[in-house]
């Protein structure tokens, strides 16, 4: 009999050399009696308290589905350029029949040409009559429209000059989601909301800017510079959709004074002359006189009596009004407005 010194199991098979339970080499132990009450020692259980860490595999990023180029099948023919079918092999036939057939075809073609010429002559006559009638109608309509345009676009019905020192309240005032406008100390004050701009157009057509020289004095009340500038608007008008359309001369009165000329169209603001440094602009609370001289479609811009730039009215806004512009939260005051023709 053999015994395992580790677990004390006994084996009667003398040919075994290792314990079948834990693999320990067996020893000969026939002289040692086996105690049936002895505690059998089992190997320590495997620790299963913490499961092994889960391995995370990076999945490859799927490629975008590549759509193959689609090409329309080439048409077998196109209208007006259909290829003639291949002629069948000529069969032997009597020459007389071929001659007679050819004459018949020529006769049919000749009759068709005659009919077509008659039809074209008739259509041409009718077209000329309609064209002459339409030309006369268009001419009459244009003459009528030109008369209206002449009356509408003429500056003769506008006052030669308008002066507003803002001692009387004529312009709009109040509070809105874009900012505040009010009269104070014989000046017209405007303050926009943060990160936006505020525009106000004149109250009546007497402030029309067609072929006029427009001047106004503007200043920052507390010396703070409006982030996107403030200034004078000309040719201002709202569309049927209540969108702004105008040109504006804006100034920035911070430590690095600059001016900009912008256009509003369909409510969108576009820089025609981007921000440009100018030594003629006064900073802080000092007032600046802004001026626009308009002749036809040419607009010339002046600051404190000094010419700075010019643009062309390519949008034909010429029938618009004077207006004022300010941005962000700086309080700006306007005074001594003059429109002179």
């Amino acid at each position: 009999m053999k015994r395992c010194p580790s677990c004390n199991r006994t084996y009667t098979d003398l040919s075994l050399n290792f314990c079948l339970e834990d693999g320990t080499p067996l020893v000969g132990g026939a002289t040692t009696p086996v105690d049936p009450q002895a505690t059998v020692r089992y190997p320590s259980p495997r620790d299963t308290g913490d499961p092994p860490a889960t391995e995370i595999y990076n999945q490859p990023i799927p490629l975008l589905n590549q759509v193959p180029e689609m090409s329309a099948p080439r048409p077998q023919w196109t209208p007006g350029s259909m290829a003639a079918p291949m002629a069948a092999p000529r069969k032997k036939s009597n020459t007389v029949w071929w001659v007679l057939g050819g004459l018949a075809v020529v006769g049919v073609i000749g009759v068709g040409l005659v009919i077509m010429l008659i039809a074209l002559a008739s259509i041409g006559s009718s077209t000329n009559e309609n064209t002459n009638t339409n030309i006369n109608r268009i001419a009459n309509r244009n003459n009528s429209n030109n008369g209206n345009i002449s009356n509408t676009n003429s500056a003769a019905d506008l006052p030669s000059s308008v002066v507003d020192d803002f001692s009387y309240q004529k312009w709009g005032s109040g509070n809105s989601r874009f900012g505040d406008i009010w009269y104070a100390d014989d000046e017209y004050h405007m303050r926009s909301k943060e990160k936006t701009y505020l525009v106000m157009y004149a109250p009546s057509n007497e402030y029309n800017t067609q072929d006029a020289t427009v001047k106004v004095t503007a200043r920052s009340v507390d010396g703070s510079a409006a982030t996107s500038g403030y200034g004078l608007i000309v040719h201002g008008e709202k569309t049927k959709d209540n969108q702004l359309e105008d040109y504006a001369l804006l100034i920035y009165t911070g430590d690095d004074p600059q001016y900009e000329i912008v256009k509003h169209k369909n409510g969108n603001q576009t820089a025609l002359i981007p921000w440009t440094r100018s030594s003629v602009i006064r900073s802080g609370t000092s007032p600046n006189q802004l001026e626009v001289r308009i002749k036809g479609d040419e607009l010339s811009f002046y600051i404190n009596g000094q010419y700075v730039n010019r643009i062309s009215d390519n949008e034909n806004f010429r029938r618009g009004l004077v207006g004022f512009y300010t941005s962000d939260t700086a309080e700006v005051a306007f005074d001594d407005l003059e429109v002179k023709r």
Side-chain angles (χ1 to χ4, degrees):
M1 181 179 294
K2 291 186 178 182
R3 179 179 62 85
C4 174
S6 176
C7 63
N8 288 325
R9 289 182 181 275
T10 58
Y11 298 88
T12 58
D13 188 353
L14 298 179
S15 65
L16 293 176
N17 295 319
F18 298 94
C19 178
L20 298 178
E21 181 64 20
D22 54 19
T24 304
L26 300 178
V27 297
T31 58
T32 304
V34 178
D35 185 3
Q37 299 300 322
T39 302
V40 178
R41 187 177 60 165
Y42 292 92
S44 300
R46 185 164 53 106
D47 185 9
T48 60
D50 294 323
T54 302
E55 289 192 44
I56 300 177
Y57 295 92
N58 292 325
Q59 298 294 329
I61 299 175
L63 296 176
L64 294 177
N65 292 330
Q66 296 182 355
V67 180
E69 283 190 15
M70 301 295 293
S71 58
R74 181 165 37 172
Q76 299 302 315
W77 59 273
T78 55
S81 62
M82 183 190 301
M86 294 181 63
R90 185 192 304 180
K91 297 181 179 179
K92 294 181 180 179
S93 60
N94 195 314
T95 305
V96 175
W97 292 110
W98 279 103
V99 173
L100 291 177
L103 292 175
V105 171
V106 171
V108 172
I109 293 174
V111 173
L113 288 175
V114 172
I115 294 174
M116 183 177 66
L117 290 174
I118 294 173
L120 289 175
S122 176
I123 292 172
S125 176
S126 175
T127 301
N128 289 335
E129 292 179 0
N130 292 335
T131 301
N132 291 333
T133 302
N134 290 334
I135 290 174
N136 291 333
R137 289 176 180 174
I138 293 171
N140 292 334
R141 184 168 65 248
N142 286 342
N143 290 336
S144 175
N145 289 341
N146 287 337
N148 293 334
I149 291 173
S150 177
N151 292 333
T152 301
N153 288 345
S154 174
D157 58 334
L158 299 174
S160 59
S161 66
V162 175
V163 176
D164 194 340
D165 61 2
F166 299 100
S167 57
Y168 298 97
Q169 296 192 17
K170 299 179 181 179
W171 292 54
S173 60
N175 305 319
S176 73
R177 61 192 179 95
F178 297 109
D180 308 316
I181 303 175
W182 70 99
Y183 277 80
D185 303 324
D186 294 337
E187 291 178 314
Y188 194 62
H189 292 248
M190 297 176 64
R191 179 174 54 229
S192 175
K193 298 293 185 182
E194 187 178 7
K195 296 181 180 179
T196 186
Y197 62 85
L198 180 62
V199 166
M200 176 58 78
Y201 291 155
S204 64
N205 195 49
E206 65 179 338
Y207 294 90
N208 191 291
T209 58
Q210 181 180 7
D211 293 324
T213 295
V214 184
K215 298 179 183 179
V216 73
T217 299
R219 68 182 181 91
S220 172
V221 174
D222 61 1
S224 59
T227 306
S228 298
Y230 61 88
L232 174 64
I233 289 175
V234 295
H235 294 347
E237 189 173 8
K238 288 187 178 180
T239 66
K240 294 180 180 179
D241 299 330
N242 208 35
Q243 300 295 331
L244 303 176
E245 290 190 337
D246 57 57
Y247 299 105
L249 170 61
L250 308 179
I251 58 173
Y252 172 78
T253 55
D255 294 334
D256 186 18
Q258 302 177 49
Y259 73 89
E260 182 184 38
I261 299 173
V262 303
K263 174 182 71 175
H264 294 113
K265 184 177 181 181
N266 295 325
N268 298 317
Q269 179 170 308
T270 305
L272 302 179
I273 305 295
W275 286 110
T276 304
R277 292 182 175 88
S278 176
S279 60
V280 303
I281 300 174
R282 302 170 186 142
S283 59
T285 59
S286 299
N288 288 275
Q289 185 185 66
L290 308 179
E291 179 181 355
V292 185
R293 300 178 186 177
I294 304 166
K295 291 183 180 181
D297 60 357
E298 184 178 276
L299 285 72
S300 300
F301 299 88
Y302 294 77
I303 300 175
N304 295 319
Q306 299 294 315
Y307 169 80
V308 293
N309 224 312
R310 71 178 57 185
I311 63 169
S312 295
D313 176 18
N314 296 325
E315 302 294 344
N316 195 27
F317 289 163
R318 65 182 60 191
R319 288 293 294 176
L321 305 175
V322 174
F324 301 137
Y325 177 112
T326 189
S327 61
D328 213 32
T329 59
E331 180 183 344
V332 178
F334 296 91
D335 199 6
D336 298 327
L337 172 64
E338 180 181 324
V339 181
K340 183 177 293 186
R341 263 169 278 278

